[in-house]
Amino acid sequence: MKILLTGGAGYIGSHTAVELIKAGHSVVIIDNLINSSEDVIKNIKRITGTEISFYKLDLRDDFSCVFSGHVFDACIHFAGLKAVGESVSLPLRYYNNNLISTLNLIKTLENHNCKNIIFSSSATVYGTPAEIPITEQCPKGTCTNPYGWTKWVIEQILTDLHVSDPSWNIVILRYFNPVGAHQSGLIGESPKGIPNNLMPYITQVASGRLEKLHIFGNDYETPDGTGIRDYIHVVDLAKGHVAALKALKKSSENQTSDDNGLLSVYNLGTGRGYSVLEMVNTFEKVNGLKVPYVIEGRRAGDIGICYSDPSKARRELNWKAEYGLEEMCRDSWNWEKNK
Ligand code: NAD
Ligand code: WQD
């Protein structure tokens, strides 16, 4: 299939491009490079040995020129701004970028008769989860930041779109905590400035770029008091998209009328939670490095425990995460030291 990847030069998009190509698909990438660089495109080519069509465009602008050279079977929509803290200080920038790009994308896809889309959502839509492990039936909650609300609202927009026109095939993927990098060390996560997320903070402490890790709270109701999350290797996450695409294809091929397209939501996680201290200890053990840390107060908006029940994706997409925490720590460090 020919797949349009928005935000395909970013962290998750680039790993997904590699896995899609490995699975025999061809990809076309649109990215405005606001949080990535053209080197990523070169490195996807190096890993896969395949030429990639890349368009440096902003999804909020008219990008219909891309369709003059390609007919797409489906679109995977990764593009968006994602820094939680920044979204609190610059909410309008987040609403503008994430919502306008999505609305413009849907319209443009519709104009070109491509009604198959996979959307990058987040576990953040569950807010403070009503149940652990979190299933897809768990009600969406109250988000604590504008970034989270953009995901929440886009899910609603896609749901309303499907009600109004059920010929759309829509898969919403709720990612838990992606970490790690491609084993080649050629692509990975490159946060700008001081990282917000745990794993890139750990790797930058290990490399000496940052002095020590600040652990946000050790008074949660968890075995060691630190927060528990469902970390998932980005390559496993990327393979989840390949599996979702298969389901989308099957549905669109079996579609007999204009009203039986697919609308499905899947958690993409491992189903296993690890605490901050388990992350630090495993990283130190696997890589033979020290990660100095201090315990501080809780971070505003954080919850104690968050991990998925990924069984729906296993059952319906025949996908499950394969990598463990040791590989996540090894590949995160391999990327950091090659940068
Ligand atoms: P990323 O920032 O690495 O990738 C996003 C890409 O989108 C970037 O390359 C950026 O340049 C591009 N982009 C942003 N706005 C654009 C626009 N208007 N037009 C064209 N390109 C634009 O982020 P990521 O970690 O790869 O995340 C991909 C998607 O997954 C995002 O939608 C993010 O919200 C979602 N997500 C990420 C995580 C995570 O922890 N990384 C977790 C859950 C959901
Ligand atoms: C993980 C754990 C922290 C940094 C965020 C977004 C979410 C999603 C994924 C996009 C927590 C602790 C962290 C540090 C620490 N992104 N921590 N010191 O908060 O689960 O999720 O990224 O959709 O929307 O909110 O991930 O990596 O920031 O934190 O102690 O310097 O590590 O308190 O327990 P989080 P995280």
Side-chain angles (χ1 to χ4, degrees), residues 6 11 34 81 139 184 202 213 227 231 239 244 257 261 272 306 335:
T6 76
Y11 175 45
I34 188 98
L81 297 175
S184 62
I202 289 178
L213 172 69
Y231 299 95
K239 289 177 179 165
S257 72
R272 247 259 25 205
C306 173
W335 161 245

Side-chain angles (χ1 to χ4, degrees), residues 11-133:
Y11 175 45
I12 304 168
S14 56
H15 288 81
T16 304
V18 168
E19 295 307 316
L20 286 169
I21 293 165
K22 270 172 66 182
H25 301 292
S26 67
V27 304
V28 173
I29 291 177
I30 299 182
D31 200 302
N32 64 0
L33 303 182
I34 188 98
N35 198 35
S36 49
S37 81
E38 211 156 340
D39 285 345
V40 176
I41 307 291
K42 286 190 201 131
N43 286 331
I44 299 171
K45 288 183 195 169
R46 276 180 70 189
I47 294 168
T48 59
T50 305
E51 276 306 310
I52 312 275
S53 300
F54 169 63
Y55 296 84
K56 182 174 183 283
L57 290 169
D58 193 303
L59 287 178
R60 289 166 295 177
D61 299 332
D62 180 358
F63 62 91
S64 45
C65 60
V66 174
F67 289 77
S68 57
H70 308 280
V71 175
F72 296 108
D73 298 291
C75 170
I76 309 183
H77 180 33
F78 297 101
L81 297 175
K82 64 160 183 177
V84 169
E86 187 184 63
S87 80
V88 175
S89 45
L90 299 171
L92 300 187
R93 182 162 183 247
Y94 274 68
Y95 286 115
N96 180 296
N97 189 73
N98 293 3
L99 298 184
I100 306 290
S101 357
T102 304
L103 293 172
N104 200 28
L105 173 68
I106 293 169
K107 187 147 195 41
T108 310
L109 290 173
E110 198 163 40
N111 287 344
H112 294 87
N113 206 26
C114 173
K115 290 188 176 180
N116 298 323
I117 187 168
I118 296 175
F119 173 61
S120 298
S121 190
S122 167
T124 200
V125 300
Y126 293 113
T128 302
E131 60 185 19
I132 295 284

Side-chain angles (χ1 to χ4, degrees), residues 122 124 147 177 196-198 214-216 229 231 299 302:
S122 167
T124 200
Y147 162 74
N177 291 59
N196 297 303
N197 293 120
L198 180 64
H214 304 261
I215 295 185
F216 301 138
R229 295 291 183 276
Y231 299 95
R299 183 171 64 177
D302 265 359

